[in-house]
Amino acid sequence: MRIIHASPTDSVTVSPRSHMVHDRGSTNITDCGRAKRACEACKQRKVKCNGHATCQQCSHLNLRCRYMERRPRDKPRMRRGERIAMYRTAQAAGLAPVAVPSSTSKSPSANIHDAQYFKQLLQTYTSSIYSFIPIISPEECEQEIENMDKDPQSRSFLCALAAVTLAQTGGVCEDDSEIYNEVDQLTREALELRGVLWLHPTINITTIMTAEFLHVCFASMSRRDAAFFYLREAITLAQGSNYFSQYELKSCSDKKEVARRQRLFWLLFIHERFFAIHYSLPANLKADDMPTEFEGSIPPLLHEGFLQIINVFLLIDEPMLAAWVGRTEDISLEWIQEKNMELKYIPDISALSEMQQVDILITRNWLSTVLWKIAMTKYPLNDTSPKDFMSLLFPIDVFKRTLSIVSQASVHSLAVNGASARQKLLDLLNTVADIITIVIIPSAQVATDEVANYLEMAKIILSLPGVSIRSRETIQRKLSSIEATVAVSPRSLLPH
């Protein structure tokens, strides 16, 4: 689950000398008509640049055309991908480096993303992405690599797969990092190769998963509207092709294909329900449309982990959605307490991988806070023990349990859960900050533990790759608010 909203105008302070951008125009053209220097987009894509203020390549692909000021180099030039590998090693101890692969093509006009590029990413996809999105097997991906030179749809799918692999394992945010630029280029290439869908003679599983991968990528890139659009597109393509038709499923003799279509339904259901809660957007898929018990055609632990996360999101039923967006006033105290007991129940998940356990436990705790917010809008809450669900301090207890989970997990297990995990943790962090400043009496004696826990969680979140500039600014604003309320100085304890 990966399963986010940031303004494209957010900016960071950078060295003016190292990032000076000039509209070079004709001064970049030699007397014989050749470009003195390629723009940044053409250099990254390794294609010929004509050197104009907005070069032909960037104009054709609607890219931002920029020429960087030359600067002296006192170190050897690094090969493509080495910079980000070094960055990850320094910033995220415990996260396995995933360098952006290099194309083996030597022709400047050849497509930058060749077969070797995708093969280099396939192992990372298998170990990290397939655990959460178990639809297209690694063997099927290898077949798509073999077909990519003959079928543009295969290449489009592989570009989307590579983009989601880099986005989930490396993290992307709205700066000019190498991974962000690479993911952006891969998504553009996937869309350009795919073309107009209604011209396709058939819609198959790779077509649907191309849209689903694009959804995850745009969510990771903090582009909510595009992410929701491609989630809707994936659902529409599957429904329009009768992938979820009970008649088609019962008449299909290939049991593995039936199981895959059922997993696809629940994958889309999970992502749609997350968007429905996090962004208050409509959800169309209904849990009654597909059985929750189905044959496992994937490794047993992957199957078990997938069933467990399905069970968590089944708790976001129609009454909960209606209560969350305010479509109903008929919310009884009994219903709230029953839902809370369902969320508190934790099945035995000890056999699952750490990545899967982190996903399940964080999601359950996040939903407990969502339910608490629903209760707060309908019933008066007390200020007694945080153990009491109907207490204003209840999120403090949920936060402590979540902190215990993430502080013991590796950075890798947290990072590969993607943008959705970061957003759940940020939601919890912001809720606790508000409780500290609004509910808890501003006394160091009373709030010391809560502030210390807040600081520890903030440092963990800030250490994850892909935390957006807006999220970082939100954390800093919350810290300033806490400083004004509690007699401590937490800002100095955070990394700058």
Side-chain angles (χ1 to χ4, degrees):
M1 290 171 35
R2 313 316 100 229
I3 350 270
I4 4 197
H5 185 217
S7 169
T9 59
D10 287 343
S11 61
V12 294
T13 303
V14 296
S15 168
R17 180 177 178 181
S18 61
H19 286 74
M20 290 176 64
V21 180
H22 299 279
D23 182 358
R24 306 193 69 84
S26 60
T27 62
N28 195 38
I29 309 298
T30 64
D31 293 339
C32 58
R34 295 174 63 88
K36 295 179 182 177
R37 187 181 309 171
C39 70
E40 292 302 298
C42 288
K43 280 196 292 187
Q44 286 201 9
R45 296 175 59 234
K46 296 184 180 177
V47 296
K48 188 175 181 179
C49 180
N50 64 7
H52 291 178
T54 300
C55 75
Q56 186 177 14
Q57 292 281 350
C58 291
S59 176
H60 175 65
L61 295 175
N62 193 28
L63 299 175
R64 182 171 56 168
C65 191
R66 305 181 308 161
Y67 294 86
M68 293 300 192
E69 184 66 64
R70 291 187 185 274
R71 58 188 177 192
R73 294 182 178 271
D74 52 8
K75 294 182 180 180
R77 183 186 298 269
M78 290 192 218
R79 294 184 60 189
R80 196 164 173 269
E82 291 179 356
R83 290 188 302 275
I84 199 64
M86 291 176 60
Y87 174 81
R88 289 204 192 100
T89 300
Q91 295 293 323
L95 178 60
V98 183
V100 178
S102 298
S103 171
T104 58
S105 173
K106 301 300 181 182
S107 170
S109 61
N111 196 300
I112 186 173
H113 302 119
D114 56 15
Q116 186 60 32
Y117 177 93
F118 297 116
K119 288 177 181 178
Q120 290 179 41
L121 280 173
L122 190 54
Q123 183 177 357
T124 305
Y125 166 81
T126 304
S127 62
S128 299
I129 307 305
Y130 189 58
S131 299
F132 301 103
I133 310 180
I135 310 298
I136 307 292
S137 70
E139 294 75 20
E140 290 172 309
C141 294
E142 291 176 351
Q143 186 61 47
E144 296 298 326
I145 292 174
E146 292 182 11
N147 295 336
M148 60 181 283
D149 291 332
K150 298 177 290 185
D151 184 5
Q153 300 311 307
S154 293
R155 184 185 287 275
S156 174
F157 164 77
L158 290 169
C159 286
L161 179 145
V164 78
T165 301
L166 288 173
Q168 294 296 97
T169 58
V172 291
C173 56
E174 62 276 68
D175 58 14
D176 285 333
S177 70
E178 184 174 354
I179 287 186
Y180 183 92
N181 292 335
E182 187 73 9
V183 171
D184 181 67
Q185 178 58 33
L186 282 163
T187 54
R188 290 173 183 270
E189 190 173 338
L191 289 169
E192 184 177 353
L193 288 163
R194 190 182 68 164
V196 182
L197 284 178
W198 61 265
L199 293 176
H200 294 190
T202 57
I203 301 298
N204 56 28
I205 188 65
T206 56
T207 311
I208 298 170
M209 286 308 298
T210 299
E212 168 62 7
F213 285 155
L214 289 170
H215 153 69
V216 177
C217 286
F218 285 122
S220 298
M221 298 169 74
S222 303
R223 295 166 66 177
R224 187 202 71 171
D225 293 345
F228 187 62
F229 175 88
Y230 286 105
L231 174 61
R232 274 282 186 264
E233 182 179 85
I235 294 171
T236 302
L237 290 172
Q239 291 178 326
S241 302
N242 290 323
Y243 262 57
F244 306 145
S245 164
Q246 292 303 308
Y247 173 80
E248 293 288 341
L249 292 174
K250 290 177 181 178
S251 61
C252 180
S253 59
D254 187 345
K255 299 305 180 185
K256 288 187 176 180
E257 178 61 21
V258 171
R260 173 165 50 194
R261 292 187 182 192
Q262 291 171 319
R263 289 197 305 275
L264 175 63
F265 173 89
W266 288 114
L267 175 71
L268 297 174
F269 177 91
I270 287 167
H271 289 183
E272 187 181 48
R273 293 288 156 136
F274 173 73
F275 262 55
I277 293 294
H278 190 64
Y279 294 118
S280 299
L281 292 169
N284 294 336
L285 292 177
K286 309 299 181 186
D288 295 339
D289 294 342
M290 189 67 66
T292 55
E293 296 294 332
F294 50 89
E295 181 182 344
S297 59
I298 55 177
L301 288 181
L302 287 188
H303 180 70
E304 177 62 24
F306 194 63
L307 289 179
Q308 291 293 348
I309 199 64
I310 290 172
N311 290 334
V312 175
F313 275 87
L314 280 171
L315 297 174
I316 310 177
D317 51 19
E318 303 311 312
M320 187 171 183
L321 286 177
W324 179 248
V325 298
R327 292 200 308 265
T328 179
E329 297 294 328
D330 186 20
I331 304 172
S332 68
L333 187 59
E334 292 74 16
W335 175 85
I336 291 175
Q337 291 173 336
E338 180 182 354
K339 184 69 69 175
N340 179 50
M341 293 303 296
E342 291 176 339
L343 285 167
K344 287 177 66 176
Y345 169 71
I346 305 294
D348 183 11
I349 57 175
S350 59
L352 301 181
S353 70
E354 186 181 72
M355 294 185 298
Q356 293 170 311
Q357 292 185 50
V358 165
D359 189 13
I360 293 165
L361 295 174
I362 289 178
T363 302
R364 280 187 174 274
N365 288 348
W366 170 69
L367 284 178
S368 292
T369 306
V370 170
L371 181 65
W372 174 83
K373 291 177 181 177
I374 293 174
M376 185 173 61
T377 63
K378 305 299 179 183
Y379 295 96
L381 304 183
N382 58 58
D383 57 357
T384 58
S385 169
K387 300 289 184 181
D388 180 5
F389 178 74
M390 298 303 290
S391 166
L392 287 169
L393 303 179
F394 174 74
I396 296 293
D397 183 60
V398 177
F399 188 76
K400 287 179 181 178
R401 287 187 271 121
T402 308
L403 179 59
S404 176
I405 295 165
V406 300
S407 60
Q408 297 178 56
S410 68
V411 178
H412 177 72
S413 295
L414 294 170
V416 297
N417 275 279
S420 64
R422 292 194 300 270
Q423 287 302 318
K424 293 166 191 172
L425 292 176
L426 284 166
D427 284 352
L428 287 167
L429 190 72
N430 292 336
T431 300
V432 166
D434 292 338
I435 291 174
I436 291 173
T437 56
I438 298 173
V439 179
I440 296 179
I441 299 175
S443 165
Q445 183 68 30
V446 174
T448 300
D449 290 344
E450 287 75 14
V451 173
N453 289 337
Y454 178 92
L455 288 168
E456 186 175 352
M457 179 69 85
K459 286 189 280 189
I460 292 172
I461 294 174
L462 290 173
S463 73
L464 297 177
V467 179
S468 69
I469 295 170
R470 169 169 287 189
S471 296
R472 293 176 182 275
E473 291 175 343
T474 299
I475 291 174
Q476 293 298 329
R477 285 197 300 271
K478 296 292 184 181
L479 280 172
S480 298
S481 180
I482 291 174
E483 283 182 325
T485 309
V486 183
V488 295
S489 182
R491 183 188 297 272
S492 61
L493 303 179
L494 276 177
H496 294 291

